[in-house]
């Protein structure tokens, strides 16, 4: 058993974020986890006990300063670390408090420090102040000092590794891929049960071809392209299930999505669904499609044996999902070329080729077992 201190920006035990799944798996393997975060950033204390057990503890510390949700410093870290005496420390990239962690690890050589990174060109270093001030003069120097004491840099995608190398000047040899962890594990009986149950609830024929998509429906995600592609398909045996919510990014985009949804009875918009129940709708589906932007739903889909069609990135940058396609279960469409007609063609290619659908689904399960199984992936940390 290891004692693990995990620094987070926020904590909500009800969500299905990667950190939640990682912490749950660490606890399930008998470790003790202590979350440290800023005061007021933890939700649902009762649910913590119910869902995660008594080996999880949470410490909220006051802020010394807070520029935004992602860059701040907490008061009392050195004292907490000395008292906790952890075997392992995990922290997110780019924080001022890495200096305190590095000092602790320097004086406690048996403690291992893992830096966990989610950043890439699509979500970080986008503003001029970030590009020319925050990263080169604040975050990169802090990383340089702390890097001498980092056991491994855990990157969520290969593109994250490229970002760390380019922006932080990190060494690729110090990195290890720790992809988004799926919460679900395939069960044949559950597949039969929920395929029948959900399709009956939504009035979808049992032999229909069902597409799953979801997440936050922003213009960046291009969900409208998927809905428009369905309008181009004359076969009424194809349905779309959407588990997601609208964003406030664009009222015009939201209005257009609502119009597309309401004009086609084969589109089933379920709004936001709790992550624990997402598996029911994935089991009811034959394939998952995401036109742009990475999502944890990609890995959730693969864990339950669904093929994927995904866009290669967003209008901001390429995200290169090729690392998921080791067993030909992911069809990747260029972010510059994706449009309703191209998507229609790719949907129908799989729809009319049942053997291809079967092989792609088997490829997803094979990829999960080898590269996405949380029970194996946490060993990167506990045995690192």
């Amino acid at each position: 058993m290891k004692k693990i201190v995990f620094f987070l920006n926020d904590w909500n035990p009800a969500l299905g974020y990667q950190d939640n799944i990682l912490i749950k798996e660490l606890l399930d393997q008998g470790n003790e986890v202590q979350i440290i975060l800023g005061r007021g950033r933890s939700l649902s204390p009762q649910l913590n006990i119910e869902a995660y057990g008594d080996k999880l503890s949470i410490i909220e510390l006051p802020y010394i300063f807070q520029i935004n949700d992602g860059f701040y410093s907490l008061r009392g870290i050195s004292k907490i670390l000395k008292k906790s005496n952890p075997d392992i420390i995990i922290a997110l990239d780019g924080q001022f408090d890495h200096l305190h962690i590095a000092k602790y690890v320097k004086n406690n050589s048996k403690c291992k420090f893992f830096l966990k990174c989610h950043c890439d060109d699509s979500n970080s270093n986008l503003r001029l102040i970030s590009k020319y001030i925050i990263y080169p003069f604040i975050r990169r120097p802090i990383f340089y000092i702390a890097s001498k004491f980092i056991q491994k840099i855990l990157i969520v995608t290969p593109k994250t590794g490229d970002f760390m190398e380019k922006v932080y000047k990190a060494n690729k040899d110090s990195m290890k891929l720790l992809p988004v962890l799926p919460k679900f594990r395939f069960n044949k009986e559950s597949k039969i049960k929920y395929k029948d149950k959900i399709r009956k609830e939504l009035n979808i024929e049992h032999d229909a071809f069902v597409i799953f998509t979801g997440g936050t429906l922003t213009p960046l995600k291009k969900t409208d392209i998927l809905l428009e592609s369905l309008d181009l398909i004359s076969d009424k045996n194809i349905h779309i299930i959407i588990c997601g919510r609208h964003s406030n990014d664009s009222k015009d985009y939201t209005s257009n999505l609502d119009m597309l949804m309401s004009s086609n009875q084969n589109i089933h918009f379920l709004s936001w669904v709790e992550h624990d129940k997402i598996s029911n709708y994935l089991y009811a589906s034959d394939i998952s499609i995401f036109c742009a932007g990475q999502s944890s739903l990609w890995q959730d889909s693969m864990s339950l044996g669904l093929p994927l069609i995904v866009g290669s990135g967003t209008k901001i940058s390429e995200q290169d999902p090729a690392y998921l396609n080791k067993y030909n279960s992911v069809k990747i469409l260029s972010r510059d070329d994706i449009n309703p007609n191209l998507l229609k063609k790719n949907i129908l290619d799989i729809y009319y080729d049942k053997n291809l659908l079967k092989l792609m689904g088997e490829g997803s399960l094979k990829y999960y077992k080898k590269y996405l199984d949380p029970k194996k992936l946490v060993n990167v940390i506990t045995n690192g």
Side-chain angles (χ1 to χ4, degrees), residues 184-246:
F184 312 120
R185 185 183 292 271
F186 181 79
N187 180 279
K188 188 174 181 180
E189 288 73 26
S190 295
K191 173 72 176 179
I192 295 168
K193 174 184 175 181
Y194 287 109
K195 179 177 180 179
D196 184 61
K197 180 177 184 292
I198 297 299
R199 293 191 179 203
K200 281 181 179 177
E201 289 176 359
L202 298 178
N203 198 27
I204 298 174
E205 299 84 355
H206 189 76
D207 65 346
F209 184 79
V210 179
I211 299 165
F212 177 90
T213 196
T216 304
L217 307 177
T218 66
L220 207 63
K221 296 296 183 71
K222 299 183 180 180
T223 307
D224 55 315
I225 290 178
L226 173 58
L227 305 189
E228 288 169 6
S229 72
L230 188 62
D231 285 338
L232 300 177
I233 297 173
S234 57
D235 194 318
K236 297 306 176 186
N237 199 40
I238 299 177
H239 294 249
I240 297 174
I241 292 175
I242 305 174
C243 296
R245 61 182 167 205
H246 292 304

